[in-house]
Amino acid sequence: MRIIDADGHVAEGATLAAEAMARWPELIVPRPDGRALVIEGRNYPQAEGPGAGCPREHGLSTADDIDCSSPQAVLRDAERDHIDTMVLYPSLGLCVPTLENPDLAAGFARLYNRYIADYCAAGEGRLRGVAVTPIEHGAVAIDIMREAADLGLVATHLPPALKTRNLDHPDLDPFYAAAAELGMPLGIHGAPGMHLPKIGVDRFTNYIQVHCVSFPFDQMTAMTALISGGVFDRHPGLRVVFLEAGVGWVPYFLDRLHEHFDKRGDWIDNGWQREPREYLDAGNVWVTCEPDEPILPAVIDVLADDFIMFASDYPHWDGEWPHSTRALRTRTDIGEQSRRKIGGRNAERFYRLTG
């Protein structure tokens, strides 16, 4: 079967950072100890304090022989893990939605999108890039997303919540309308330590505790906004994937949303018009999984298998390279049809991949 990694990452390395520092020397500088970039006076990553992110030197996998230093090296790693195609989300590029200077935000987004398009062009058709866009800065975010589509990028990243707004804010409707018109799917991806809103993790300063809590809470926040806030009713062609929180939370949370829709749904002005499960069935809601999740067969039984995609999180510390696909290929408690859908066919549909 064709295996598509629906959420890998590019490790941008020094090339992108050096170009950014050369273009914006007053706004982007290295921290003296080399453990972060300082952008607009903020550390990226912010590895200390409430909601701490991963220290820069600990972010990548320490597996023997892993090499994410070039497109060719990534392809060799993909071969070892039986992965045919990798969809690459940002690492440093996750900072873009938090940038406050409008010119920097737009310029950095365009720099990153060209960088990842060129990076993937060296990948023999097996590497596909995800765009970033300065979503806090209005119409320019739409322009940059359109440019990203022209570059061949297959999705656009969004954070789970913006600094002062949730994802159902009416100001974002033009952006969602443009994404639906372009057929551009959106990938909701959190990032501790990247100066995004701290949802439930402000009680923790240890990165591992933050990591345990932040990803599922972030995705629940984003799903609440998009479903109950009526975004999918206003933009029925929009496709969104909720990333890097596994799939086990989805039946529980859809059931919780159902209860609130059923009993108090009319308390939300301009909100949801349908039972929450219907947005999943309509193709608005997608989720990535880790293929060794014990609860995966139960999720398939309750919600079916048409919305679940395999993700490796390569090359980050919590991935399983070079064994991230092993459970998908060998476990006996899911059927062959589900294995093929989760392994690649669903990602082909979501990202509209060919070849």
Side-chain angles (χ1 to χ4, degrees), residues 212-251:
C212 286
V213 173
S214 66
F215 283 92
F217 277 23
D218 280 343
Q219 299 299 0
M220 292 176 189
T221 300
M223 183 177 282
T224 298
L226 292 168
I227 289 181
S228 71
V231 173
F232 295 128
D233 296 289
R234 298 191 294 276
H235 309 284
L238 193 64
R239 306 192 314 283
V240 174
V241 59
F242 300 88
L243 299 157
E244 209 164 313
V247 73
W249 63 278
V250 180

CSV table of all heavy atoms in Angstrom, one decimal, residues 212-251:
chain,number,residue,atom,x,y,z
A,212,CYS,N,2.2,17.3,27.4
A,212,CYS,CA,1.1,16.3,27.6
A,212,CYS,C,-0.2,17.0,27.5
A,212,CYS,O,-1.2,16.4,26.9
A,212,CYS,CB,1.2,15.8,29.1
A,212,CYS,SG,2.5,14.6,29.3
A,213,VAL,N,-0.3,18.2,27.9
A,213,VAL,CA,-1.6,18.9,28.0
A,213,VAL,C,-1.9,19.7,26.7
A,213,VAL,O,-3.1,19.8,26.2
A,213,VAL,CB,-1.7,19.8,29.2
A,213,VAL,CG1,-2.9,20.7,29.3
A,213,VAL,CG2,-1.6,19.0,30.5
A,214,SER,N,-0.9,20.4,26.2
A,214,SER,CA,-1.2,21.4,25.2
A,214,SER,C,-1.8,20.9,23.9
A,214,SER,O,-2.8,21.5,23.4
A,214,SER,CB,0.1,22.2,24.9
A,214,SER,OG,1.1,21.4,24.2
A,215,PHE,N,-1.3,19.8,23.3
A,215,PHE,CA,-1.8,19.4,22.0
A,215,PHE,C,-3.2,19.0,22.0
A,215,PHE,O,-4.0,19.5,21.2
A,215,PHE,CB,-0.9,18.4,21.4
A,215,PHE,CG,0.4,18.9,20.9
A,215,PHE,CD1,1.5,19.0,21.7
A,215,PHE,CD2,0.5,19.4,19.6
A,215,PHE,CE1,2.7,19.5,21.2
A,215,PHE,CE2,1.7,19.9,19.1
A,215,PHE,CZ,2.8,20.0,19.9
A,216,PRO,N,-3.7,18.1,22.9
A,216,PRO,CA,-5.1,17.8,22.9
A,216,PRO,C,-6.0,19.0,23.3
A,216,PRO,O,-7.1,19.2,22.7
A,216,PRO,CB,-5.3,16.7,23.9
A,216,PRO,CG,-4.0,16.7,24.7
A,216,PRO,CD,-3.0,17.3,23.9
A,217,PHE,N,-5.6,19.8,24.3
A,217,PHE,CA,-6.4,20.9,24.7
A,217,PHE,C,-6.5,21.9,23.5
A,217,PHE,O,-7.6,22.5,23.3
A,217,PHE,CB,-5.9,21.6,25.9
A,217,PHE,CG,-6.3,21.0,27.2
A,217,PHE,CD1,-6.7,19.6,27.2
A,217,PHE,CD2,-6.3,21.7,28.4
A,217,PHE,CE1,-7.0,19.0,28.4
A,217,PHE,CE2,-6.6,21.1,29.6
A,217,PHE,CZ,-7.0,19.7,29.6
A,218,ASP,N,-5.4,22.2,22.8
A,218,ASP,CA,-5.4,23.1,21.7
A,218,ASP,C,-6.4,22.6,20.6
A,218,ASP,O,-7.2,23.4,20.1
A,218,ASP,CB,-4.0,23.2,21.1
A,218,ASP,CG,-3.1,24.1,21.8
A,218,ASP,OD1,-3.6,24.9,22.6
A,218,ASP,OD2,-1.9,24.0,21.6
A,219,GLN,N,-6.4,21.3,20.3
A,219,GLN,CA,-7.3,20.8,19.3
A,219,GLN,C,-8.7,20.8,19.7
A,219,GLN,O,-9.6,21.1,18.9
A,219,GLN,CB,-6.8,19.4,18.9
A,219,GLN,CG,-5.4,19.3,18.3
A,219,GLN,CD,-5.2,20.1,17.1
A,219,GLN,OE1,-6.1,20.8,16.6
A,219,GLN,NE2,-4.0,20.1,16.6
A,220,MET,N,-9.0,20.6,20.9
A,220,MET,CA,-10.4,20.7,21.4
A,220,MET,C,-10.9,22.2,21.3
A,220,MET,O,-12.0,22.4,21.0
A,220,MET,CB,-10.5,20.2,22.9
A,220,MET,CG,-10.3,18.7,23.0
A,220,MET,SD,-10.3,18.2,24.7
A,220,MET,CE,-9.8,16.5,24.6
A,221,THR,N,-10.0,23.1,21.6
A,221,THR,CA,-10.4,24.5,21.5
A,221,THR,C,-10.7,24.9,20.0
A,221,THR,O,-11.7,25.5,19.7
A,221,THR,CB,-9.2,25.4,22.0
A,221,THR,OG1,-9.0,25.1,23.4
A,221,THR,CG2,-9.5,26.9,21.9
A,222,ALA,N,-9.8,24.4,19.1
A,222,ALA,CA,-10.0,24.7,17.7
A,222,ALA,C,-11.3,24.1,17.2
A,222,ALA,O,-12.0,24.7,16.4
A,222,ALA,CB,-8.8,24.3,16.9
A,223,MET,N,-11.5,22.8,17.5
A,223,MET,CA,-12.7,22.1,17.1
A,223,MET,C,-14.0,22.7,17.6
A,223,MET,O,-15.0,22.9,16.9
A,223,MET,CB,-12.7,20.6,17.5
A,223,MET,CG,-13.8,19.8,16.9
A,223,MET,SD,-13.8,18.1,17.3
A,223,MET,CE,-12.6,17.5,16.1
A,224,THR,N,-13.9,23.2,18.9
A,224,THR,CA,-15.1,23.9,19.4
A,224,THR,C,-15.4,25.1,18.6
A,224,THR,O,-16.6,25.4,18.3
A,224,THR,CB,-14.8,24.2,20.9
A,224,THR,OG1,-14.6,23.0,21.7
A,224,THR,CG2,-16.0,25.0,21.5
A,225,ALA,N,-14.4,25.9,18.3
A,225,ALA,CA,-14.6,27.1,17.6
A,225,ALA,C,-15.2,26.9,16.2
A,225,ALA,O,-16.2,27.5,15.8
A,225,ALA,CB,-13.3,27.9,17.5
A,226,LEU,N,-14.5,25.9,15.5
A,226,LEU,CA,-14.9,25.7,14.1
A,226,LEU,C,-16.3,25.1,13.9
A,226,LEU,O,-17.1,25.4,13.0
A,226,LEU,CB,-13.9,24.9,13.4
A,226,LEU,CG,-12.5,25.6,13.2
A,226,LEU,CD1,-11.4,24.6,12.8
A,226,LEU,CD2,-12.6,26.7,12.2
A,227,ILE,N,-16.6,24.1,14.8
A,227,ILE,CA,-17.9,23.5,14.7
A,227,ILE,C,-19.0,24.3,15.4
A,227,ILE,O,-20.0,24.7,14.7
A,227,ILE,CB,-17.9,22.1,15.4
A,227,ILE,CG1,-17.0,21.1,14.5
A,227,ILE,CG2,-19.3,21.5,15.6
A,227,ILE,CD1,-16.9,19.7,15.0
A,228,SER,N,-18.9,24.6,16.7
A,228,SER,CA,-20.0,25.4,17.3
A,228,SER,C,-20.1,26.8,16.8
A,228,SER,O,-21.2,27.4,16.9
A,228,SER,CB,-19.8,25.3,18.8
A,228,SER,OG,-18.7,26.1,19.2
A,229,GLY,N,-19.0,27.4,16.4
A,229,GLY,CA,-19.0,28.7,15.9
A,229,GLY,C,-19.6,28.8,14.5
A,229,GLY,O,-19.6,30.0,13.9
A,230,GLY,N,-20.0,27.7,13.8
A,230,GLY,CA,-20.7,27.8,12.6
A,230,GLY,C,-19.8,28.0,11.4
A,230,GLY,O,-20.3,28.3,10.3
A,231,VAL,N,-18.5,27.8,11.5
A,231,VAL,CA,-17.6,28.0,10.4
A,231,VAL,C,-17.8,27.1,9.3
A,231,VAL,O,-17.9,27.5,8.1
A,231,VAL,CB,-16.1,27.9,10.9
A,231,VAL,CG1,-15.1,28.0,9.7
A,231,VAL,CG2,-15.8,29.0,11.9
A,232,PHE,N,-18.1,25.8,9.6
A,232,PHE,CA,-18.4,24.9,8.5
A,232,PHE,C,-19.7,25.1,7.9
A,232,PHE,O,-20.0,24.6,6.7
A,232,PHE,CB,-18.2,23.4,9.0
A,232,PHE,CG,-16.8,23.1,9.5
A,232,PHE,CD1,-16.6,22.5,10.7
A,232,PHE,CD2,-15.7,23.3,8.6
A,232,PHE,CE1,-15.3,22.2,11.1
A,232,PHE,CE2,-14.4,23.0,9.0
A,232,PHE,CZ,-14.2,22.4,10.3
A,233,ASP,N,-20.7,25.7,8.6
A,233,ASP,CA,-22.0,26.0,8.0
A,233,ASP,C,-21.8,27.1,7.0
A,233,ASP,O,-22.4,27.1,5.9
A,233,ASP,CB,-23.0,26.4,9.1
A,233,ASP,CG,-23.3,25.2,10.0
A,233,ASP,OD1,-23.9,24.2,9.5
A,233,ASP,OD2,-22.8,25.2,11.1
A,234,ARG,N,-21.0,28.1,7.3
A,234,ARG,CA,-20.8,29.2,6.4
A,234,ARG,C,-19.8,28.9,5.3
A,234,ARG,O,-19.9,29.5,4.2
A,234,ARG,CB,-20.2,30.4,7.2
A,234,ARG,CG,-21.1,30.9,8.3
A,234,ARG,CD,-20.7,32.3,8.9
A,234,ARG,NE,-19.4,32.2,9.6
A,234,ARG,CZ,-19.3,31.8,10.9
A,234,ARG,NH1,-20.3,31.4,11.6
A,234,ARG,NH2,-18.1,31.8,11.5
A,235,HIS,N,-19.0,27.9,5.4
A,235,HIS,CA,-18.0,27.5,4.4
A,235,HIS,C,-18.0,26.0,4.3
A,235,HIS,O,-17.1,25.3,4.7
A,235,HIS,CB,-16.6,28.0,4.8
A,235,HIS,CG,-16.6,29.5,5.2
A,235,HIS,ND1,-16.7,30.4,4.2
A,235,HIS,CD2,-16.6,30.1,6.4
A,235,HIS,CE1,-16.7,31.6,4.8
A,235,HIS,NE2,-16.7,31.4,6.1
A,236,PRO,N,-19.1,25.4,3.7
A,236,PRO,CA,-19.2,23.9,3.7
A,236,PRO,C,-18.1,23.2,2.9
A,236,PRO,O,-18.0,22.0,3.1
A,236,PRO,CB,-20.6,23.7,3.1
A,236,PRO,CG,-20.9,25.0,2.3
A,236,PRO,CD,-20.2,26.1,3.1
A,237,GLY,N,-17.4,23.9,2.1
A,237,GLY,CA,-16.3,23.2,1.3
A,237,GLY,C,-15.0,23.2,2.0
A,237,GLY,O,-14.0,22.7,1.5
A,238,LEU,N,-14.9,23.7,3.3
A,238,LEU,CA,-13.7,23.8,4.0
A,238,LEU,C,-13.3,22.5,4.6
A,238,LEU,O,-14.1,21.8,5.1
A,238,LEU,CB,-13.8,24.9,5.1
A,238,LEU,CG,-12.6,25.3,5.8
A,238,LEU,CD1,-11.6,26.1,4.9
A,238,LEU,CD2,-12.9,26.2,7.0
A,239,ARG,N,-12.0,22.1,4.4
A,239,ARG,CA,-11.4,20.9,5.0
A,239,ARG,C,-10.3,21.2,6.0
A,239,ARG,O,-9.4,22.0,5.6
A,239,ARG,CB,-10.8,20.0,3.9
A,239,ARG,CG,-11.8,19.7,2.8
A,239,ARG,CD,-11.4,18.6,1.8
A,239,ARG,NE,-10.0,18.7,1.4
A,239,ARG,CZ,-9.5,19.5,0.4
A,239,ARG,NH1,-10.4,20.4,-0.1
A,239,ARG,NH2,-8.3,19.5,0.0
A,240,VAL,N,-10.5,20.7,7.2
A,240,VAL,CA,-9.5,21.0,8.3
A,240,VAL,C,-9.0,19.7,8.9
A,240,VAL,O,-9.9,18.8,9.2
A,240,VAL,CB,-10.2,21.9,9.3
A,240,VAL,CG1,-9.3,22.1,10.5
A,240,VAL,CG2,-10.7,23.2,8.7
A,241,VAL,N,-7.7,19.6,9.2
A,241,VAL,CA,-7.2,18.5,9.9
A,241,VAL,C,-6.6,19.0,11.2
A,241,VAL,O,-6.0,20.0,11.3
A,241,VAL,CB,-6.1,17.7,9.1
A,241,VAL,CG1,-4.9,18.6,8.7
A,241,VAL,CG2,-5.6,16.5,9.8
A,242,PHE,N,-7.0,18.2,12.3
A,242,PHE,CA,-6.5,18.5,13.6
A,242,PHE,C,-5.3,17.6,13.9
A,242,PHE,O,-5.5,16.3,13.9
A,242,PHE,CB,-7.7,18.3,14.6
A,242,PHE,CG,-8.8,19.2,14.3
A,242,PHE,CD1,-9.8,18.8,13.5
A,242,PHE,CD2,-8.9,20.4,15.0
A,242,PHE,CE1,-10.9,19.6,13.2
A,242,PHE,CE2,-10.0,21.2,14.7
A,242,PHE,CZ,-11.0,20.8,13.8
A,243,LEU,N,-4.2,18.1,14.2
A,243,LEU,CA,-2.9,17.4,14.1
A,243,LEU,C,-2.2,17.2,15.5
A,243,LEU,O,-2.4,18.0,16.4
A,243,LEU,CB,-1.9,18.2,13.2
A,243,LEU,CG,-2.4,18.4,11.7
A,243,LEU,CD1,-1.7,19.6,11.1
A,243,LEU,CD2,-2.1,17.2,10.9
A,244,GLU,N,-1.5,16.1,15.5
A,244,GLU,CA,-0.5,15.8,16.6
A,244,GLU,C,-1.2,15.7,18.0
A,244,GLU,O,-0.5,16.0,19.0
A,244,GLU,CB,0.6,16.9,16.6
A,244,GLU,CG,1.9,16.3,17.1
A,244,GLU,CD,3.1,17.1,16.8
A,244,GLU,OE1,3.3,17.5,15.6
A,244,GLU,OE2,3.9,17.3,17.7
A,245,ALA,N,-2.4,15.3,18.0
A,245,ALA,CA,-3.0,15.0,19.3
A,245,ALA,C,-3.6,13.5,19.3
A,245,ALA,O,-4.3,13.2,20.3
A,245,ALA,CB,-4.1,16.0,19.6
A,246,GLY,N,-3.2,12.7,18.3
A,246,GLY,CA,-3.8,11.4,18.2
A,246,GLY,C,-5.3,11.5,17.8
A,246,GLY,O,-5.8,12.5,17.5
A,247,VAL,N,-5.9,10.3,17.9
A,247,VAL,CA,-7.3,10.2,17.5
A,247,VAL,C,-8.2,9.8,18.6
A,247,VAL,O,-9.5,9.9,18.5
A,247,VAL,CB,-7.4,9.2,16.3
A,247,VAL,CG1,-7.3,7.8,16.8
A,247,VAL,CG2,-8.7,9.4,15.5
A,248,GLY,N,-7.7,9.4,19.8
A,248,GLY,CA,-8.5,8.9,20.8
A,248,GLY,C,-9.5,9.9,21.5
A,248,GLY,O,-10.5,9.5,22.0
A,249,TRP,N,-9.1,11.1,21.4
A,249,TRP,CA,-9.9,12.2,22.0
A,249,TRP,C,-11.2,12.5,21.2
A,249,TRP,O,-12.1,13.1,21.7
A,249,TRP,CB,-9.1,13.5,22.2
A,249,TRP,CG,-8.6,14.1,20.9
A,249,TRP,CD1,-7.5,13.7,20.2
A,249,TRP,CD2,-9.3,15.1,20.1
A,249,TRP,NE1,-7.4,14.5,19.0
A,249,TRP,CE2,-8.5,15.4,19.0
A,249,TRP,CE3,-10.4,15.9,20.3
A,249,TRP,CZ2,-8.8,16.3,18.0
A,249,TRP,CZ3,-10.7,16.9,19.4
A,249,TRP,CH2,-9.9,17.1,18.2
A,250,VAL,N,-11.2,12.1,19.9
A,250,VAL,CA,-12.2,12.6,19.0
A,250,VAL,C,-13.6,12.0,19.3
A,250,VAL,O,-14.6,12.8,19.4
A,250,VAL,CB,-11.8,12.3,17.5
A,250,VAL,CG1,-12.9,12.8,16.6
A,250,VAL,CG2,-10.5,12.9,17.2
A,251,PRO,N,-13.8,10.7,19.5
A,251,PRO,CA,-15.2,10.2,19.9
A,251,PRO,C,-15.7,10.9,21.2
A,251,PRO,O,-16.8,11.3,21.2
A,251,PRO,CB,-15.0,8.7,20.1
A,251,PRO,CG,-13.8,8.4,19.3
A,251,PRO,CD,-12.9,9.6,19.4
